[in-house]
mmCIF file with all atom_site columns, all heavy atoms in Angstrom:
data_model
loop_
_atom_site.group_PDB
_atom_site.id
_atom_site.type_symbol
_atom_site.label_atom_id
_atom_site.label_alt_id
_atom_site.label_comp_id
_atom_site.label_asym_id
_atom_site.label_entity_id
_atom_site.label_seq_id
_atom_site.pdbx_PDB_ins_code
_atom_site.Cartn_x
_atom_site.Cartn_y
_atom_site.Cartn_z
_atom_site.occupancy
_atom_site.B_iso_or_equiv
_atom_site.pdbx_formal_charge
_atom_site.auth_seq_id
_atom_site.auth_comp_id
_atom_site.auth_asym_id
_atom_site.auth_atom_id
_atom_site.pdbx_PDB_model_num
ATOM 1  N N   . VAL A 1 22 ? 171.802 -9.466  192.016 1.00 0.00 ? 105 VAL A N   1
ATOM 2  C CA  . VAL A 1 22 ? 170.966 -8.268  192.070 1.00 0.00 ? 105 VAL A CA  1
ATOM 3  C C   . VAL A 1 22 ? 171.833 -7.013  191.957 1.00 0.00 ? 105 VAL A C   1
ATOM 4  O O   . VAL A 1 22 ? 171.461 -6.034  191.319 1.00 0.00 ? 105 VAL A O   1
ATOM 5  C CB  . VAL A 1 22 ? 170.130 -8.252  193.368 1.00 0.00 ? 105 VAL A CB  1
ATOM 6  C CG1 . VAL A 1 22 ? 169.478 -6.894  193.568 1.00 0.00 ? 105 VAL A CG1 1
ATOM 7  C CG2 . VAL A 1 22 ? 169.063 -9.344  193.306 1.00 0.00 ? 105 VAL A CG2 1
ATOM 8  N N   . CYS A 1 23 ? 173.028 -7.058  192.568 1.00 0.00 ? 106 CYS A N   1
ATOM 9  C CA  . CYS A 1 23 ? 173.880 -5.861  192.552 1.00 0.00 ? 106 CYS A CA  1
ATOM 10 C C   . CYS A 1 23 ? 174.535 -5.623  191.194 1.00 0.00 ? 106 CYS A C   1
ATOM 11 O O   . CYS A 1 23 ? 174.715 -4.496  190.794 1.00 0.00 ? 106 CYS A O   1
ATOM 12 C CB  . CYS A 1 23 ? 174.983 -5.976  193.597 1.00 0.00 ? 106 CYS A CB  1
ATOM 13 S SG  . CYS A 1 23 ? 174.347 -5.839  195.260 1.00 0.00 ? 106 CYS A SG  1
ATOM 14 N N   . MET A 1 24 ? 174.897 -6.702  190.529 1.00 0.00 ? 107 MET A N   1
ATOM 15 C CA  . MET A 1 24 ? 175.694 -6.515  189.317 1.00 0.00 ? 107 MET A CA  1
ATOM 16 C C   . MET A 1 24 ? 175.005 -5.724  188.203 1.00 0.00 ? 107 MET A C   1
ATOM 17 O O   . MET A 1 24 ? 175.633 -4.864  187.609 1.00 0.00 ? 107 MET A O   1
ATOM 18 C CB  . MET A 1 24 ? 176.203 -7.848  188.807 1.00 0.00 ? 107 MET A CB  1
ATOM 19 C CG  . MET A 1 24 ? 177.497 -8.199  189.524 1.00 0.00 ? 107 MET A CG  1
ATOM 20 S SD  . MET A 1 24 ? 177.940 -9.920  189.390 1.00 0.00 ? 107 MET A SD  1
ATOM 21 C CE  . MET A 1 24 ? 178.095 -10.098 187.644 1.00 0.00 ? 107 MET A CE  1
ATOM 22 N N   . PRO A 1 25 ? 173.707 -5.982  187.953 1.00 0.00 ? 108 PRO A N   1
ATOM 23 C CA  . PRO A 1 25 ? 173.084 -5.179  186.893 1.00 0.00 ? 108 PRO A CA  1
ATOM 24 C C   . PRO A 1 25 ? 173.119 -3.699  187.250 1.00 0.00 ? 108 PRO A C   1
ATOM 25 O O   . PRO A 1 25 ? 173.228 -2.846  186.383 1.00 0.00 ? 108 PRO A O   1
ATOM 26 C CB  . PRO A 1 25 ? 171.654 -5.703  186.838 1.00 0.00 ? 108 PRO A CB  1
ATOM 27 C CG  . PRO A 1 25 ? 171.708 -7.037  187.470 1.00 0.00 ? 108 PRO A CG  1
ATOM 28 C CD  . PRO A 1 25 ? 172.807 -6.973  188.495 1.00 0.00 ? 108 PRO A CD  1
ATOM 29 N N   . GLY A 1 26 ? 173.053 -3.393  188.558 1.00 0.00 ? 109 GLY A N   1
ATOM 30 C CA  . GLY A 1 26 ? 173.133 -2.001  188.989 1.00 0.00 ? 109 GLY A CA  1
ATOM 31 C C   . GLY A 1 26 ? 174.426 -1.368  188.521 1.00 0.00 ? 109 GLY A C   1
ATOM 32 O O   . GLY A 1 26 ? 174.423 -0.292  187.941 1.00 0.00 ? 109 GLY A O   1
ATOM 33 N N   . ARG A 1 27 ? 175.517 -2.098  188.729 1.00 0.00 ? 110 ARG A N   1
ATOM 34 C CA  . ARG A 1 27 ? 176.808 -1.548  188.318 1.00 0.00 ? 110 ARG A CA  1
ATOM 35 C C   . ARG A 1 27 ? 176.905 -1.445  186.792 1.00 0.00 ? 110 ARG A C   1
ATOM 36 O O   . ARG A 1 27 ? 177.430 -0.487  186.270 1.00 0.00 ? 110 ARG A O   1
ATOM 37 C CB  . ARG A 1 27 ? 177.934 -2.418  188.868 1.00 0.00 ? 110 ARG A CB  1
ATOM 38 C CG  . ARG A 1 27 ? 178.940 -1.620  189.650 1.00 0.00 ? 110 ARG A CG  1
ATOM 39 C CD  . ARG A 1 27 ? 180.034 -2.492  190.208 1.00 0.00 ? 110 ARG A CD  1
ATOM 40 N NE  . ARG A 1 27 ? 179.579 -3.333  191.297 1.00 0.00 ? 110 ARG A NE  1
ATOM 41 C CZ  . ARG A 1 27 ? 180.010 -4.577  191.513 1.00 0.00 ? 110 ARG A CZ  1
ATOM 42 N NH1 . ARG A 1 27 ? 180.876 -5.124  190.691 1.00 0.00 ? 110 ARG A NH1 1
ATOM 43 N NH2 . ARG A 1 27 ? 179.568 -5.270  192.526 1.00 0.00 ? 110 ARG A NH2 1
ATOM 44 N N   . ALA A 1 28 ? 176.374 -2.474  186.127 1.00 0.00 ? 111 ALA A N   1
ATOM 45 C CA  . ALA A 1 28 ? 176.397 -2.458  184.662 1.00 0.00 ? 111 ALA A CA  1
ATOM 46 C C   . ALA A 1 28 ? 175.555 -1.288  184.140 1.00 0.00 ? 111 ALA A C   1
ATOM 47 O O   . ALA A 1 28 ? 175.951 -0.595  183.213 1.00 0.00 ? 111 ALA A O   1
ATOM 48 C CB  . ALA A 1 28 ? 175.873 -3.783  184.120 1.00 0.00 ? 111 ALA A CB  1
ATOM 49 N N   . ASP A 1 29 ? 174.402 -1.066  184.787 1.00 0.00 ? 112 ASP A N   1
ATOM 50 C CA  . ASP A 1 29 ? 173.552 0.059   184.385 1.00 0.00 ? 112 ASP A CA  1
ATOM 51 C C   . ASP A 1 29 ? 174.301 1.371   184.532 1.00 0.00 ? 112 ASP A C   1
ATOM 52 O O   . ASP A 1 29 ? 174.226 2.249   183.677 1.00 0.00 ? 112 ASP A O   1
ATOM 53 C CB  . ASP A 1 29 ? 172.300 0.136   185.278 1.00 0.00 ? 112 ASP A CB  1
ATOM 54 C CG  . ASP A 1 29 ? 171.273 -0.913  184.881 1.00 0.00 ? 112 ASP A CG  1
ATOM 55 O OD1 . ASP A 1 29 ? 171.511 -1.598  183.872 1.00 0.00 ? 112 ASP A OD1 1
ATOM 56 O OD2 . ASP A 1 29 ? 170.270 -1.039  185.591 1.00 0.00 ? 112 ASP A OD2 1
ATOM 57 N N   . GLN A 1 30 ? 175.030 1.480   185.638 1.00 0.00 ? 113 GLN A N   1
ATOM 58 C CA  . GLN A 1 30 ? 175.785 2.707   185.901 1.00 0.00 ? 113 GLN A CA  1
ATOM 59 C C   . GLN A 1 30 ? 176.803 2.940   184.802 1.00 0.00 ? 113 GLN A C   1
ATOM 60 O O   . GLN A 1 30 ? 176.915 4.045   184.261 1.00 0.00 ? 113 GLN A O   1
ATOM 61 C CB  . GLN A 1 30 ? 176.481 2.576   187.272 1.00 0.00 ? 113 GLN A CB  1
ATOM 62 C CG  . GLN A 1 30 ? 177.168 3.838   187.745 1.00 0.00 ? 113 GLN A CG  1
ATOM 63 C CD  . GLN A 1 30 ? 176.198 5.008   187.863 1.00 0.00 ? 113 GLN A CD  1
ATOM 64 O OE1 . GLN A 1 30 ? 175.090 4.840   188.381 1.00 0.00 ? 113 GLN A OE1 1
ATOM 65 N NE2 . GLN A 1 30 ? 176.579 6.159   187.357 1.00 0.00 ? 113 GLN A NE2 1
#
Side-chain angles (χ1 to χ4, degrees):
V105 169
C106 289
M107 275 163 60
R110 234 179 288 144
D112 283 355
Q113 187 59 44

